[in-house]
Short mmCIF file of all heavy atoms in Angstrom, two decimals:
data_model
loop_
_atom_site.label_atom_id
_atom_site.label_comp_id
_atom_site.label_asym_id
_atom_site.label_seq_id
_atom_site.Cartn_x
_atom_site.Cartn_y
_atom_site.Cartn_z
N GLY A 10 201.94 -26.08 65.04
CA GLY A 10 201.71 -25.35 63.78
C GLY A 10 200.29 -25.55 63.30
O GLY A 10 199.64 -24.64 62.81
N SER A 11 199.80 -26.77 63.42
CA SER A 11 198.43 -27.04 62.96
C SER A 11 197.44 -26.39 63.90
O SER A 11 196.39 -25.90 63.48
CB SER A 11 198.21 -28.53 62.84
OG SER A 11 197.57 -29.09 63.93
N SER A 12 197.71 -26.31 65.21
CA SER A 12 196.79 -25.64 66.13
C SER A 12 196.83 -24.14 65.88
O SER A 12 195.82 -23.46 66.04
CB SER A 12 197.11 -26.00 67.57
OG SER A 12 198.23 -25.29 68.04
N LEU A 13 197.96 -23.62 65.48
CA LEU A 13 198.07 -22.20 65.15
C LEU A 13 197.21 -21.89 63.93
O LEU A 13 196.52 -20.88 63.90
CB LEU A 13 199.54 -21.84 64.90
CG LEU A 13 199.86 -20.36 64.78
CD1 LEU A 13 199.63 -19.65 66.10
CD2 LEU A 13 201.28 -20.17 64.32
N ILE A 14 197.24 -22.79 62.99
CA ILE A 14 196.42 -22.62 61.78
C ILE A 14 194.95 -22.72 62.17
O ILE A 14 194.11 -21.95 61.73
CB ILE A 14 196.79 -23.67 60.71
CG1 ILE A 14 198.19 -23.39 60.18
CG2 ILE A 14 195.80 -23.67 59.59
CD1 ILE A 14 198.73 -24.44 59.24
N GLN A 15 194.65 -23.66 63.04
CA GLN A 15 193.25 -23.81 63.47
C GLN A 15 192.82 -22.57 64.27
O GLN A 15 191.71 -22.09 64.11
CB GLN A 15 193.09 -25.05 64.34
CG GLN A 15 193.08 -26.33 63.56
CD GLN A 15 192.99 -27.56 64.47
OE1 GLN A 15 193.13 -27.46 65.68
NE2 GLN A 15 192.79 -28.71 63.86
N ASN A 16 193.70 -22.06 65.13
CA ASN A 16 193.36 -20.86 65.92
C ASN A 16 193.14 -19.66 65.01
O ASN A 16 192.19 -18.90 65.20
CB ASN A 16 194.48 -20.54 66.91
CG ASN A 16 194.41 -21.42 68.15
OD1 ASN A 16 193.39 -22.06 68.39
ND2 ASN A 16 195.50 -21.46 68.90
N SER A 17 194.02 -19.52 64.03
CA SER A 17 193.86 -18.37 63.16
C SER A 17 192.60 -18.53 62.30
O SER A 17 191.91 -17.57 62.01
CB SER A 17 195.10 -18.16 62.28
OG SER A 17 195.18 -19.14 61.28
N GLY A 18 192.26 -19.75 61.95
CA GLY A 18 191.03 -20.00 61.21
C GLY A 18 189.82 -19.69 62.08
O GLY A 18 188.83 -19.12 61.62
N SER A 19 189.89 -20.09 63.32
CA SER A 19 188.75 -19.83 64.20
C SER A 19 188.68 -18.34 64.54
O SER A 19 187.60 -17.79 64.70
CB SER A 19 188.83 -20.71 65.43
OG SER A 19 189.35 -20.09 66.54
N GLU A 20 189.81 -17.67 64.62
CA GLU A 20 189.80 -16.22 64.84
C GLU A 20 189.21 -15.51 63.64
O GLU A 20 188.45 -14.54 63.79
CB GLU A 20 191.22 -15.70 65.10
CG GLU A 20 191.70 -15.98 66.50
CD GLU A 20 193.11 -15.44 66.73
OE1 GLU A 20 193.56 -14.55 65.97
OE2 GLU A 20 193.76 -15.91 67.66
N GLU A 21 189.53 -16.00 62.46
CA GLU A 21 188.97 -15.40 61.24
C GLU A 21 187.46 -15.62 61.21
O GLU A 21 186.70 -14.73 60.86
CB GLU A 21 189.62 -16.01 59.99
CG GLU A 21 191.02 -15.52 59.75
CD GLU A 21 191.68 -16.22 58.58
OE1 GLU A 21 190.99 -16.99 57.86
OE2 GLU A 21 192.85 -15.98 58.37
N ASN A 22 187.03 -16.84 61.58
CA ASN A 22 185.59 -17.12 61.61
C ASN A 22 184.90 -16.25 62.65
O ASN A 22 183.80 -15.73 62.42
CB ASN A 22 185.34 -18.59 61.95
CG ASN A 22 185.65 -19.52 60.80
OD1 ASN A 22 185.72 -19.07 59.66
ND2 ASN A 22 185.87 -20.79 61.10
N LEU A 23 185.56 -16.09 63.79
CA LEU A 23 185.00 -15.26 64.85
C LEU A 23 184.92 -13.80 64.40
O LEU A 23 183.91 -13.13 64.61
CB LEU A 23 185.86 -15.39 66.12
CG LEU A 23 185.36 -14.67 67.36
CD1 LEU A 23 184.00 -15.22 67.78
CD2 LEU A 23 186.34 -14.84 68.50
N GLN A 24 185.97 -13.33 63.75
CA GLN A 24 185.99 -11.95 63.24
C GLN A 24 184.90 -11.77 62.18
O GLN A 24 184.21 -10.76 62.17
CB GLN A 24 187.38 -11.64 62.64
CG GLN A 24 187.55 -10.19 62.24
CD GLN A 24 187.46 -9.23 63.42
OE1 GLN A 24 187.88 -9.56 64.54
NE2 GLN A 24 186.88 -8.07 63.17
#
Side-chain angles (χ1 to χ4, degrees):
S11 98
S12 77
L13 190 67
I14 292 174
Q15 284 177 349
N16 280 345
S17 73
S19 99
E20 282 180 20
E21 286 175 7
N22 286 341
L23 185 61
Q24 187 64 34

